[in-house]
Amino acid sequence: MLDQARVLEALEEVQDPELRQSIVTLNMVRTIDIKPNGVVSLDIALTVDGCPLHEKITADVKHSLGRLPEVKDISVTLSVMNEQERRVAFQKAFEAAQQARQGEPARSEGGTRINVTPPPPKSSGKAPLIGPLPGQGAASGMMSDADSTIIIGVASGKGGVGKSTVTANLAVALARMGSRVGVIDMDIYGFSQGRMFGAKEKAKVNEQEKIIPWSMHGVHVVSMGMFVEEGQAIVWRGPMLGKMMQQFFSDVAWPTLDYLLIDLPPGTGDVALDMAQKVRKAKLVLVTTPQQVATQVAHRAGDVAQKAHQEIIGVIENMSYVVCPHGERMNVFGEGGGQSLADLFHVPLLGQIPLESTVREGGDKGRPLAASEPTSPAGAVFLSIAERIKQTLSNEAAG
Ligand SMILES: Nc1ncnc2c1ncn2[C@@H]1O[C@H](COP(=O)(O)OP(=O)(O)OP(=O)(O)O)[C@@H](O)[C@H]1O
């Protein structure tokens, strides 16, 4: 007999593509109505209005329910969670990711799985390579609270807002100010730091069998691009991604660093959750564009960070305006998104970066603008943001 329990059971396999958990676990299925003629009507609550993934969720729901022989037709209505429901959903996603890491084997959904595990370092078996789960003792190296490297994750709610561009330019700007800077390109599905920094070489290991980071424009960088070509499909899920992050911290011959920036994948998926849990001292910068919809999605990334008690140090608004030939500013993508996101989290808006073709060209040519044209309008903003971050953090350290 077709009842709510069977419908829910069938829906278990449908995941929120961003939170990577079942829509049932996340309480996204609000109502189920089953008519005697086999028509099933559902109300699914999205985590945020304008969720760009609603088509996928609807298609997945229809696909899963369509496999039940008694189901003759499916009608899906989408609504939006309120603040309280959203918080519960994020908490559940967070807890599920935590459980998944405890011993679950790596899963792949087909496609290429690339094992980048280098030969075990000589120290393996002695020091723990991975940061502990909360309450499991002290972490080691750059993941530990004791190490003085300041770790800053660069996050965005959605792709294409310029998070990788901002990461590269901020790193260069910090290095120009005399800091020792590293970058981990954790944007596993869309890694681009190799291109942005102009690095092409594949991974090399030193005598201790640790990966030697690329070193360009005064910045040390590791990326998936050391192992595979940009654009190559990589299909990895939770625990495997956690392992990747572990390797990028522990199995790399990092020099002493003042700052380590982490280019996170867009959204609030496994990597962001993982970093929040493993690298508890990591701080976060949120990148958004001026549009309200981008801000709403970035809000989710910030929400997850706050759940994990991760400090958000500020918001960077990218593609904020175009400088016209006579010097006036034109807000092509609207305005106010960065400030309203900053206000939501009670953090400063660290800077507004103009939309400039030189920014894109710098990224494509492997010469970040902060290195090639630091006095251009956008170059100067990158430097002022780096200055502001440095100042904020040293004020914090001074108490
Ligand atoms: N301020 C800017 N002016 C002009 N072009 C920009 C600017 N910022 C970023 N871009 C361009 O926009 C595109 C997307 O930027 P980028 O790859 O940094 O975004 P992203 O948020 O990291 O995306 P994803 O997470 O999907 O990889 C790139 O072509 C980049 O050169």
Side-chain angles (χ1 to χ4, degrees):
M1 192 189 96
L2 187 61
D3 58 11
Q4 293 219 349
R6 280 194 61 215
V7 169
L8 280 174
E9 198 186 335
L11 291 175
E12 275 292 345
E13 66 182 18
V14 179
Q15 292 205 332
D16 177 290
E18 282 199 314
L19 294 177
R20 306 266 176 85
Q21 298 299 333
S22 160
I23 60 169
V24 176
T25 311
L26 296 174
N27 291 345
M28 289 171 69
V29 186
R30 269 203 172 129
T31 59
I32 301 172
D33 180 47
I34 305 167
K35 293 273 183 289
N37 62 357
V39 176
V40 179
S41 305
L42 300 165
D43 181 4
I44 307 284
L46 303 173
T47 51
V48 74
D49 197 8
C51 171
L53 303 163
H54 59 87
E55 279 171 13
K56 174 153 178 51
I57 293 177
T58 305
D60 289 352
V61 164
K62 289 189 171 174
H63 178 75
S64 295
L65 287 186
R67 290 209 297 250
L68 298 178
E70 304 95 321
V71 172
K72 301 299 173 217
D73 199 7
I74 304 153
S75 153
V76 180
T77 312
L78 299 175
S79 54
V80 181
M81 289 184 171
N82 63 30
E83 192 59 34
Q84 172 64 18
E85 289 171 322
R86 192 163 30 244
R87 283 186 188 285
V88 172
F90 284 138
Q91 186 63 41
K92 290 195 168 181
F94 192 76
E95 284 162 7
Q98 201 170 355
Q99 278 167 8
R101 244 212 347 268
Q102 295 172 332
E104 188 190 292
R107 284 172 294 158
S108 166
E109 291 179 327
T112 323
R113 176 185 287 179
I114 298 135
N115 184 5
V116 299
T117 310
K122 293 202 167 97
S123 63
S124 69
K126 290 181 196 154
L129 291 177
I130 193 162
L133 298 173
Q136 286 186 332
S140 67
M142 275 193 277
M143 288 169 127
S144 78
D145 294 346
D147 185 273
S148 61
T149 305
I150 294 170
I151 300 174
I152 303 174
V154 184
S156 68
K158 64 190 198 102
V161 301
K163 169 185 53 57
S164 302
T165 304
V166 168
T167 308
N169 279 283
L170 261 190
V172 169
L174 285 165
R176 283 182 74 89
M177 289 171 186
S179 299
R180 297 164 294 184
V181 186
V183 169
I184 295 181
D185 188 356
M186 275 306 296
D187 195 346
I188 300 287
Y189 308 107
F191 51 89
S192 55
Q193 292 298 340
R195 172 169 50 84
M196 301 226 168
F197 277 93
K200 292 193 179 71
E201 279 192 1
K202 293 295 164 215
K204 288 187 180 152
V205 291
N206 68 9
E207 282 178 357
Q208 286 76 43
E209 289 167 345
K210 295 214 169 200
I211 301 161
I212 303 167
W214 287 320
S215 181
M216 290 116 359
H217 308 297
V219 178
H220 306 277
V221 183
V222 290
S223 167
M224 278 304 298
M226 293 177 139
F227 305 96
V228 290
E229 295 303 324
E230 195 172 336
Q232 191 171 342
I234 298 176
V235 183
W236 279 352
R237 304 296 304 274
M240 197 62 197
L241 288 170
K243 217 161 169 245
M244 190 74 228
M245 180 168 331
Q246 168 194 322
Q247 288 193 323
F248 277 165
F249 272 93
S250 308
D251 296 350
V252 171
W254 288 113
T256 303
L257 297 176
D258 299 309
Y259 294 94
L260 179 63
L261 305 189
I262 304 180
D263 184 2
L264 291 166
T268 49
D270 298 342
V271 175
L273 290 169
D274 231 53
M275 185 184 84
Q277 288 181 308
K278 284 194 184 129
V279 194
R280 278 166 294 160
K281 69 168 187 165
K283 299 167 192 304
L284 209 73
V285 166
L286 293 174
V287 180
T288 187
T289 51
Q291 295 106 313
Q292 292 299 332
V293 65
T295 304
Q296 283 171 351
V297 193
H299 187 194
R300 279 188 286 185
D303 249 352
V304 169
Q306 283 201 326
K307 280 265 142 37
H309 306 293
Q310 211 166 30
E311 182 190 351
I312 300 171
I313 53 177
V315 170
I316 297 174
E317 189 184 82
N318 188 28
M319 308 185 193
S320 298
Y321 54 90
V322 173
V323 184
C324 300
H326 298 297
E328 70 275 27
R329 293 180 175 195
M330 208 168 77
N331 299 316
V332 276
F333 291 138
E335 57 188 315
Q339 188 62 59
S340 56
L341 187 63
D343 292 345
L344 273 171
F345 291 110
H346 309 290
V347 295
L349 178 62
L350 295 166
Q352 292 174 291
I353 304 160
L355 183 73
E356 262 183 37
S357 58
T358 49
V359 175
R360 184 187 45 74
E361 285 158 16
D364 289 344
K365 288 183 187 154
R367 284 183 62 73
L369 199 71
S372 59
E373 292 182 52
T375 54
S376 62
V381 177
F382 285 124
L383 281 142
S384 102
I385 294 173
E387 183 62 60
R388 190 129 185 233
I389 288 178
K390 217 169 164 173
Q391 194 61 52
T392 308
L393 296 177
S394 65
N395 288 348
E396 243 180 45

